[in-house]
Amino acid sequence: MSKLLSEKTKQVFLVPLSKNNPITVQVLGICSALAVTAKLEPALVMGLSVTIIVAFSNLIISLLRNTIPNRIRIIVQLVVVASLVTIVSEFLKAYAYDISVQLSVYIGLIITNCILMGRLEAFAMANNPWESFVDGFGNGFGYAWILVVVAFFRELLGSGTLLGFKVIPHSFYEAGYANNGLMILPPMALIIVACVIWVHRARNKELQEK
Amino acid sequence: MENVASIFVKSIFVDNMIFAYFLGMCSYLAVSKNVKTSIGLGMAVIFVLAITLPINYLLEVHVLKEGALTWLSPNLKDLDLSYLAFILFIAVIAAMTQLVEMAVEKFSPSLYSSLGIFLPLIAVNCAIMGGSLFMQQRAFNNVAETTSYAIGSGVGWTLAIVGLAAIREKMEYSDVPAPLRGLGITFITVALMGIAFMCFSGLKI
């Protein structure tokens, strides 16, 4: 075990969770992060799908990295990613049809999700398979937790539910509380991500921009 | 003909790639620092969308759909290749951007030097792939409608990036709280622009 998780590998896994988070610091994969977060459930599925796809495409590309000619590497990467996305999409259609309908085109768009290309180019092309695999998981989870936080607030304040269950007691509504319909609309996703960035950068001063 | 025009206007304002679907966000946030380069990128996006979408449409109708291969042989009418859509679409997009890049380099070096770095990056811009997937989902009737959707979406994307770049140029001079500087305030600006664009949502032509 100690050999599997050496100090460096541990760093590779932990850094993307906060200091080098794909969404708030590297600014990768924003599109899907904003679009699927109106409800918690699709956000969880999306986070999980992206994690699996990043980890395995990192692994495959890292295994192939010495045999890929430099000029056509983007196309090779795209083909590997597209095959993995096709597998995940067919899997979701078979076992979680409702969610795959809710996610609609955004599952297909994982192919062009910048997290994938970013990590493949920056990490998998230059590191060994095991570390690339761990890096994929780290970045996938870093992406997923932002999605879950955003979706949590949007679903709670927008529909008063979490994972489809009512959590705001009925007496609140009788006392005059109302769901904030604006939360479900696309622009609020941006504002919540901005708030996450705000908190994150207020706590990590070295990330602030001049 | 009316349908073509209405798809065009709708795809610019109502179904705006950025404000309604967040497509192409990465390059949208990264390149919108000044107006001139953002116009260049916008042009490149319109160009590539207008070329790849009709090709992908023809592929979808004549190769991928269930029973689309009957023109090859009537025995193939039960064949459904739609699970190959992702791979085929992305291959077309990557190949077309490469071709467009080579053609532009050969025939218009001045345009090439102004678009230069952006052209190859467009292959992984989600606006292009998203355009193809929405085209598949909405099932347009013919190539004309698809082309008008492609150009409309591109124009909408360009409008959004040029608008944001103009605002960011002005924002250089404002005093933003330190943790929000850069990325954070840009997100909020985009959100406010998105709310403004929501007033088009009832638009019917």
Side-chain angles (χ1 to χ4, degrees), chain A residues 70-122:
Chain A
N70 203 31
R71 279 193 71 85
I72 59 159
R73 67 178 195 286
I74 302 263
I75 296 187
V76 175
Q77 290 164 359
L78 282 175
V79 170
V80 170
V81 174
S83 322
L84 284 167
V85 172
T86 308
I87 295 171
V88 168
S89 148
E90 295 291 312
F91 184 85
L92 283 181
K93 269 188 203 147
Y95 293 101
Y97 187 73
D98 294 340
I99 294 178
S100 86
V101 170
Q102 277 181 47
L103 289 173
S104 73
V105 299
Y106 293 99
I107 282 287
L109 284 174
I110 298 178
I111 298 174
T112 49
N113 193 320
C114 334
I115 292 187
L116 283 151
M117 297 314 277
R119 291 330 290 172
L120 292 177
E121 278 285 299

Side-chain angles (χ1 to χ4, degrees), chain A residues 31 86 104 106 109 114 186 190 209, chain B residues 21-23 26 83 126 182 187:
Chain A
C31 334
T86 308
S104 73
Y106 293 99
L109 284 174
C114 334
L190 288 157
E209 292 171 42
Chain B
Y21 301 109
F22 309 113
L23 296 180
C26 307
Y83 61 89
C126 8
F187 269 97

